[in-house]
């Protein structure tokens, strides 16, 4: 079997100059716990959001976990996040930079308890941020745009969107509320192929990841609706997985991509 990463009641972890803590929030409670010495985590919590500050701007990076989060703490300047059934913890430095990922790093005991061999799937390779696409989500959807950077030389409106020819892993959504700008970073397993709001400017934003049938889907205010995923019944997705690891010749992903203008 394959264990996919998921997000369910994710935990917020803040890394700042003067404020390092764990934030656990649900419908019935809000709790802040210092990262030193940290805490054991009860309940069903999958995934975490790492909140950091860069040049006075808040950045939130999302990570999925395959198993429940068991404990979080900081020691000697290293943030450690423990998952049930994993040999070692996730490790980040004090600035939020990933030092060690534990995707598919299961213990032998955990594999045995699953009563069948866990497939270490090539599709579970570590999501990453390499030349991520920056996207501004404006209060007026017609002003939402793909922002220029060292690779993308000009701004493109999200309606109708753009197709990307260079390699871009991950994307950053930039929103503003009450004058406070926030960045939400989403690492991806594969490079980003396109981003667009199709139809009306008020419609959902879709971000397409190479080789995946289902795109990322966001509301026009930047709220996540659906994560990108493979379709196990799609021949294209199966073909991509094989080709990505050099087993076959190249074949293209089949979907209606928005056109750059």
């Amino acid at each position: 079997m394959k264990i996919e990463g998921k997000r369910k009641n994710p935990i917020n972890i803040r890394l700042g100059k003067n404020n390092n803590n764990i934030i656990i929030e649900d419908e019935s409670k809000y709790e802040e716990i210092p990262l030193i010495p940290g805490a054991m985590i009860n309940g069903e919590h999958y995934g975490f959001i790492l909140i950091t500050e860069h040049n006075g701007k808040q950045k939130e990076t999302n990570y999925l976990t395959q198993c429940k989060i068991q404990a979080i703490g900081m020691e000697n300047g290293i943030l450690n996040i423990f998952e049930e059934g994993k040999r070692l913890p996730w490790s980040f430095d004090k600035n939020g930079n990933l030092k060690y990922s534990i995707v598919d790093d299961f213990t032998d005991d955990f594999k045995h308890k699953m009563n069948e061999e866990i497939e270490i799937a090539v599709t579970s390779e570590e999501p990453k941020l390499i030349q991520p696409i920056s996207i501004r989500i404006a209060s007026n959807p017609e002003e939402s745009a793909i922002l220029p950077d060292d690779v993308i030389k000009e701004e493109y409106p999200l309606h109708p969107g753009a197709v990307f020819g260079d390699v871009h892993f991950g994307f950053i959504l930039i929103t503003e509320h009450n004058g406070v700008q926030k960045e939400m970073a989403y690492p991806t397993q594969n490079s980003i192929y396109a981003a667009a709001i199709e139809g009306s400017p008020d419609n959902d934003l879709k971000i397409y990841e190479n080789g995946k049938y289902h795109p990322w889907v966001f509301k026009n205010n930047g709220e996540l609706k659906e994560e990108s995923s493979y379709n196990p019944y799609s021949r294209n997705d199966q073909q991509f997985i094989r080709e990505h690891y050099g087993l076959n010749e190249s074949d293209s992903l089949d979907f209606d991509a928005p056109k750059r203008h």
Side-chain angles (χ1 to χ4, degrees), residues 103-261:
V103 174
D104 287 336
D105 192 11
F106 301 104
T107 65
D108 290 338
D109 285 344
F110 182 81
K111 293 179 184 179
H112 181 70
K113 289 176 182 177
M114 297 300 292
N115 293 322
E116 57 184 317
E117 187 69 19
I118 292 177
E119 175 188 350
I120 306 303
V122 296
T123 55
S124 294
E125 72 174 320
E126 175 188 327
K128 45 192 170 284
L129 290 167
I130 301 175
Q131 294 185 162
I133 301 294
S134 293
I135 298 174
R136 180 182 68 237
I137 304 297
S139 55
N140 178 0
E142 293 185 356
E143 297 177 2
S144 294
I146 298 160
L147 301 180
D149 55 23
D150 292 339
V151 177
I152 300 173
K153 299 304 181 183
E154 57 184 293
E155 183 174 298
Y156 292 95
L158 277 178
H159 181 260
V163 171
F164 309 110
D166 295 291
V167 175
H168 300 276
F169 283 83
F171 54 94
I172 299 171
L173 297 188
I174 302 170
T175 60
E176 186 170 329
H177 183 66
N178 293 331
V180 178
Q181 182 173 297
K182 183 170 71 172
E183 297 183 359
M184 289 284 288
Y186 294 86
T188 61
Q189 292 174 312
N190 306 317
S191 61
I192 299 300
Y193 178 80
I197 297 174
E198 301 166 345
S200 165
D202 293 325
N203 287 347
D204 293 335
L205 164 64
K206 295 180 180 179
I207 300 173
Y208 295 89
E209 196 174 329
N210 262 322
K212 293 193 176 183
Y213 183 84
H214 300 289
W216 295 83
V217 182
F218 294 84
K219 295 181 180 180
N220 60 21
N221 63 359
E223 181 183 339
L224 177 64
K225 289 181 64 175
E226 298 176 21
E227 296 169 7
S228 179
S229 63
Y230 294 99
N231 180 352
Y233 303 106
S234 167
R235 291 183 179 180
N236 285 324
D237 284 17
Q238 294 172 7
Q239 181 77 0
F240 176 85
I241 293 168
R242 290 193 296 268
E243 290 168 5
H244 188 57
Y245 290 85
L247 300 180
N248 286 304
E249 295 180 358
S250 179
D251 191 15
S252 61
L253 177 65
D254 181 21
F255 72 93
D256 292 330
K259 305 300 182 185
R260 177 173 293 187
H261 72 128

